[in-house]
Amino acid sequence: MLKGKKLGVIGVGKLGEALIAGLLKQSDLDVTDIIGSVHHEASIDRVKERLGISTTLDNRELTKDRDIILIAVKPQNMDKVVREIADQLKPNQLLISVAASVTTAFVEERLTQPIPVVRAMPNTPSVMNAGMTGLCLGTHAKSEHKEIAEAIFDCVGKTVFVDENLMDGVTALSASGPAYLYVVIESLAEAGVKLGLSREVSTLLASQTMYGASRMVLESKAHPALLKDMVTTPAGCTIDGLMELEEGKLRVTLIKAVVKAAERARELVNNQNSSK
Ligand SMILES: NC(=O)c1ccc[n+]([C@@H]2O[C@H](COP(=O)([O-])OP(=O)(O)OC[C@H]3O[C@@H](n4cnc5c(N)ncnc54)[C@H](OP(=O)(O)O)[C@@H]3O)[C@@H](O)[C@H]2O)c1
């Protein structure tokens, strides 16, 4: 899907670097197919050294002959960067933004032509090629653009397309989600410490168990409740642990946490997009 494409990445920071590293490892693209841009001259050497791609400070130059332009600058820099490259873009180019809370409409309003735009919301495990990215299409994006965007983010994990009004849910669930799950891992590890295990062993037990449980859900495709039942022997110890979780309202707490984060994501979208 990506073979022969020329990619430009505006903003090779943490996420831009993770995406390029994933593409170089997992796709047909090589270092000659990708150009990056950064804000500070000192960052050029970092990018060259870590990724081996050409890097510039000139976003307009970068934009010229690229099939795909991926913008990975901070949300507050999106207005400036999109305006800077707007008159340079052609309808046969695809623009992808990963900026949190920045809608496709925000980007499209700043463009001078009907350019296909895709908005992506990846998460930090993308660095480990275990990312989860939610994607949605702008007004002029077609199925071919959908496939290209999917191919890019598949290189660093899994992808799912949703309607744009559901991107707050994606932000709250999979983008914020690692933070909730780190708290769960940390708490399980504390339990191990309380029971006399070393912190190192406890953290390994907790994190590998979460990894294994995730793989069971992903690969067996079984409902999590069914998998839970398979671990829960009648009159065994797991049911006692589950009863404590129910009493501590773990389920409703997690649901409320994600709903609250989605409300905040919506507020940030509204603030971001009202700053024209
Ligand atoms: N980190 C994540 O896991 C994650 C997850 C989902 C979405 N996102 C989104 O990804 C975007 C980037 O996040 P990040 O964590 O990668 O931030 P970051 O590490 O701060 O990277 C931002 C990069 O943008 C560059 N930059 C700033 N202004 C620029 C300009 N005018 N032209 C060209 N490059 C410019 C910076 O250059 P210098 O290096 O020279 O300063 C830096 O390399 C954000 O919009 C964020 O919402 C990130």
Side-chain angles (χ1 to χ4, degrees):
M1 188 72 224
L2 298 175
K3 204 175 173 65
K5 301 279 186 216
K6 298 286 172 207
L7 170 70
V9 179
I10 299 182
V12 188
K14 288 184 283 298
L15 188 73
E17 185 179 318
L19 285 172
I20 295 169
L23 284 163
L24 291 174
K25 220 192 277 175
Q26 312 279 354
S27 79
D28 293 323
L29 299 184
D30 65 33
V31 288
T32 60
D33 299 315
I34 307 175
I35 297 180
S37 75
V38 286
H39 188 51
H40 298 98
E41 192 150 8
S43 309
I44 292 181
D45 288 344
R46 166 183 58 83
V47 176
K48 274 194 186 145
E49 195 181 306
R50 292 170 71 109
L51 298 167
I53 60 165
S54 300
T55 311
T56 175
L57 297 176
D58 188 342
N59 293 333
R60 288 178 63 79
E61 188 59 31
L62 173 143
T63 309
K64 257 183 195 165
D65 61 342
R66 301 286 106 187
D67 301 297
I68 310 155
I69 295 113
L70 191 149
I71 312 185
V73 299
K74 291 282 188 199
Q76 60 270 26
N77 295 327
M78 280 296 286
D79 178 53
K80 178 173 163 273
V81 168
V82 177
R83 287 184 197 280
E84 186 184 349
I85 61 170
D87 67 346
Q88 193 90 14
L89 292 168
K90 309 258 170 356
N92 63 353
Q93 293 177 302
L94 167 63
L95 191 60
I96 302 176
S97 156
V98 295
S101 305
V102 176
T103 61
T104 55
F106 177 97
V107 175
E108 287 167 354
E109 279 161 13
R110 284 152 181 80
L111 300 174
T112 52
Q113 291 192 68
I115 308 291
V117 175
V118 173
R119 174 179 166 199
M121 192 63 206
N123 64 7
T124 50
S126 299
V127 185
M128 299 282 171
N129 288 337
M132 181 67 238
T133 303
L135 296 144
C136 66
L137 302 180
T139 317
H140 310 291
K142 310 256 178 328
S143 60
E144 73 219 58
H145 307 117
K146 185 178 176 192
E147 283 170 22
I148 292 172
E150 201 166 28
I152 290 177
F153 290 94
D154 276 349
C155 289
V156 290
K158 295 189 181 298
T159 48
V160 67
F161 274 87
V162 298
D163 288 340
E164 188 150 16
N165 63 356
L166 296 174
M167 285 297 270
D168 299 332
V170 169
T171 305
L173 181 45
S174 57
S176 302
Y180 313 144
L181 298 178
Y182 297 140
V183 171
V184 173
I185 291 174
E186 190 192 2
S187 309
L188 292 174
E190 294 275 270
V193 170
K194 170 77 180 157
L195 294 171
L197 295 160
S198 73
R199 187 162 295 279
E200 194 187 355
V201 168
S202 291
T203 305
L204 175 65
L205 292 175
S207 50
Q208 177 66 13
T209 301
M210 182 169 287
Y211 173 68
S214 298
R215 282 195 61 185
M216 289 291 285
V217 174
L218 286 167
E219 289 171 33
S220 74
K221 310 247 188 284
H223 191 288
L226 189 69
L227 294 169
K228 179 202 69 186
D229 288 355
M230 284 161 61
V231 186
T232 315
T233 318
C237 47
T238 308
I239 189 68
D240 281 22
L242 288 170
M243 278 172 62
E244 286 294 322
L245 293 184
E246 294 297 346
E247 205 165 295
K249 298 190 166 56
L250 180 76
R251 287 168 194 261
V252 75
T253 304
L254 287 173
I255 295 167
K256 284 168 77 176
V258 176
V259 170
K260 196 78 184 170
E263 284 168 14
R264 179 64 184 142
R266 201 160 307 130
E267 269 173 33
L268 291 174
V269 166
N270 291 338
N271 292 347
Q272 193 70 43
N273 293 281
S274 60
S275 60
K276 295 217 172 146

